[in-house]
Amino acid sequence: MLKVAVLISGSGSNLKALLDEFNDPAVADTDALVRIVAVGSDTDAPGLVHAEAAGVPAFVVRPGDYDDREEWGQVLAAALQEHGMNTGPEPTLVVSAGLMRILPPGFVREFSPRLINTHPALLPLFPGAHAVRDALAAGAVETGVTVHVIDEGVDTGPVLRQARVEILPGESEDELHERIKQIERPLLVDTVRAIAAGELTLPE
Ligand code: GRF
């Protein structure tokens, strides 16, 4: 069983998709391919309700409580390690699913490549926090989703999976983002499943 921790900042619909797929209470732990074992956030994210509903422990580590990003990252890393991430011989995976923070280098060095992110654009196009807005502003006719390994850059790590989404004439940022998320959720779920099943090898 692959133990997974998910990091969020927002509504957590990707988290919910992962919980719905992998944390079926009717399936015993011994039969499960993947379990979400913890959820972390940088804020009181609305999506934390999904962790509570699924009975998964959740924690908040606020950057504002620390002197700098590295210190925040160390406390976040310690919280994940308390939930078994990267502490023993068995592989674990940390999934950033709408965490709206750049993870500091020390944190990335600790967990990468078993640290992945989902991003609402076809990287390397439109990295950063406003990927959907930037695609619209550029007049792009298509965009999409990328699931990638997190490295020390901003949305620059090795691409694992991508899916395309056509941009419809006149659609708003919210409308386009919602359509992207409909593609994003199953792509993220399938990427985690493929990693757990050994079908997708993470680059060293
Ligand atoms: C996703 O589109 C993710 O790629 C982006 O923020 C969105 C989070 O959505 N960074 P949700 O919180 O999973 O609903």
Side-chain angles (χ1 to χ4, degrees), residues 172-190:
S172 69
E173 180 181 347
D174 284 352
E175 288 165 344
L176 175 57
H177 199 169
E178 193 45 49
R179 285 198 309 111
I180 290 171
K181 283 166 71 167
Q182 285 169 18
I183 305 294
E184 180 174 36
R185 293 188 281 258
L187 188 77
L188 180 62
V189 165
D190 193 59

Side-chain angles (χ1 to χ4, degrees), residues 94-113:
V94 178
V95 179
S96 161
L99 179 75
M100 299 307 285
R101 298 273 172 186
I102 296 164
L103 291 162
F107 183 98
V108 173
R109 280 195 293 273
E110 171 68 27
F111 292 101
S112 190

Side-chain angles (χ1 to χ4, degrees), residues 8-15 97-100 117-120 145 177 180-181 184-185:
I8 67 167
S9 297
S11 65
S13 68
N14 282 284
L15 165 65
L99 179 75
M100 299 307 285
N117 179 50
T118 179
H119 180 78
V145 183
H177 199 169
I180 290 171
K181 283 166 71 167
E184 180 174 36
R185 293 188 281 258

Side-chain angles (χ1 to χ4, degrees), residues 115-149:
L115 173 63
I116 68 171
N117 179 50
T118 179
H119 180 78
L122 291 174
L123 292 171
L125 294 175
F126 311 119
H130 306 291
V132 180
R133 190 184 309 170
D134 292 347
L136 286 169
V141 295
E142 69 168 13
T143 183
V145 183
T146 302
V147 182
H148 66 96
V149 174

Side-chain angles (χ1 to χ4, degrees), residues 7-94:
L7 301 175
I8 67 167
S9 297
S11 65
S13 68
N14 282 284
L15 165 65
K16 183 170 188 310
L18 291 164
L19 289 166
D20 288 350
E21 178 71 19
F22 298 124
N23 284 37
D24 181 350
V27 176
D29 276 355
T30 45
D31 294 333
L33 183 64
V34 176
R35 282 286 202 235
I36 313 305
V37 298
V39 176
S41 183
D42 60 323
T43 185
D44 294 318
L48 291 172
V49 296
H50 301 307
E52 192 183 348
V56 173
F59 58 86
V60 177
V61 183
R62 294 170 215 281
D65 291 345
Y66 303 97
D67 287 342
D68 56 44
R69 288 176 55 236
E70 274 298 342
E71 193 183 342
W72 170 68
Q74 284 165 12
V75 176
L76 185 64
L80 289 166
Q81 285 157 344
E82 272 177 36
H83 292 286
M85 292 299 109
N86 211 19
T87 52
E90 73 283 350
T92 58
L93 182 70
V94 178

Side-chain angles (χ1 to χ4, degrees), residues 145-148 159-163 187 190-191 193-194 199-200:
V145 183
T146 302
V147 182
H148 66 96
V159 170
L160 298 173
R161 292 274 167 92
Q162 290 187 307
L187 188 77
D190 193 59
T191 306
R193 185 204 57 73
E199 294 168 16
L200 187 55

